[in-house]
Amino acid sequence: PAPTTDRKFEANSFRGWAKPALATSMIFSGSIPHRLRRSGTGMGHGSSLAQSLMQSLQAKGFHAKLVSQAGSERLSIPEQLQGLFLLSPGHFDQQPVNWLQNSYKLLRRCAEPLQAGQGFVVTLTRNGGQFGLDGLTQLNQVYAGGTSALVKTIAHEWPGVFVRALDMGRDFSDDLEAANRCLEAAFWIGPLELGVLKERYYRLWLEGESFSAQTPEKILQRGDTVLVTGGARGVTAATLIALAKRYPVRFVIWGRTPLSAPEARETKDLLDASAIKRQLLFLHPELSHPKDLEKAYRHLLSQRELQASFAALRRYGAEVVYEVVDVGQDGELRLAVQSLRDRYPNIQGIIHGAGVIRDKLIVDQNEDELQEVLDTKLRILPYFETLMQNGTAWMVLFSSSTARLGRKGQG
């Protein structure tokens, strides 16, 4: 992040939405239920910052209302809703994954009036004003940081809706000062993401980096163990193979795909898709339905890819331990992590590549699809934190350009 002064951005004074005296906004708070007068909504922590923000909005002529997740599903969304402030809590009173899902559900419910009125969505985190790039102090801040990805997607999917992701610093004298500074920054023309401190702003940009010019640190020793999620296919496999070239250590790989018996000799030398499918149908007449045959064909390819990855790792001297674990299920995770620690006390690193793709527009995604996406990425993080507290030295989390830049249909 780079500091910049106020003069870098042009003040826009609420962008001229309706008349401030008639505008309706909401502050969504994450825990303590608050029912404050009239319309407008926001969701955050129910903290004094949220209340100060509501008071500042009302002082500027907005009809503002502070609500919590506890009552968000029963909340009546105003037809003339002009804006939504989404405040990430400093401390979660529920599972953080559930908080993110509830935030997403509220955005879906607010989509129609916000688009009709060309309103605004502003997310607010409290990760120090530099979006955590200067260091985080607790795992909760990692979850809270995910809200900025929501507004990046809204920027692509809801034309005319103004979006801004703010990260507040820790140098404010009180919450009222922070709230006023937040409102000052929320509606100025400038970058989508803005770090807000008492006397300065931070903006983010991407820079190219040449890894070939860097001297790599020695991160593993012979006999170390690396935990890997996401199986051994695609980009995860490519990462492991590159790592094994330098460090032939033990890789404990967790994936959801069970390993099958060795491939039948009738298909193992075939490469053409049509030839493979014909042979599969000959060997298994019950696959007469095209969907069943396609499923069997794709399973065969995934097994080949897994076995090819294992073979490549072993050629470089690495030990491969593959286990079927669904990292989105708490029950499986508890048992798997305990077994892992019992067998391999020297877990030196973690590579979290697990993820599922359920691409849809925000307004079209159902709760089960969203839950699966969030669970696969986030349920395991508290277990990683425990491993880090017990000696694991480093962790790599896989993301995508979508999280950084936003993209239509990939909320």
Side-chain angles (χ1 to χ4, degrees), residues 390-409:
N390 286 274
T392 299
W394 54 265
M395 176 170 57
V396 177
L397 307 180
F398 280 29
S399 185
S400 71
S401 61
T402 297
R404 177 68 258 160
L405 304 173
R407 188 172 299 168
K408 186 176 182 178

Side-chain angles (χ1 to χ4, degrees), residues 15 111 114-119 153-163 408:
R15 299 184 73 246
L114 288 176
Q115 292 182 82
Q118 294 191 318
T153 299
I154 290 172
H156 290 275
E157 294 187 12
W158 299 356
V161 174
F162 178 79
V163 295
K408 186 176 182 178

Side-chain angles (χ1 to χ4, degrees), residues 259-285:
L259 294 181
S260 300
E263 186 177 343
R265 59 182 177 82
E266 290 88 349
T267 61
K268 67 177 182 179
D269 295 325
L270 299 178
L271 299 178
D272 179 71
S274 298
I276 294 172
K277 290 179 181 180
R278 282 196 299 270
Q279 193 61 49
L280 283 173
L281 187 57
F282 176 78
L283 295 172
H284 305 282

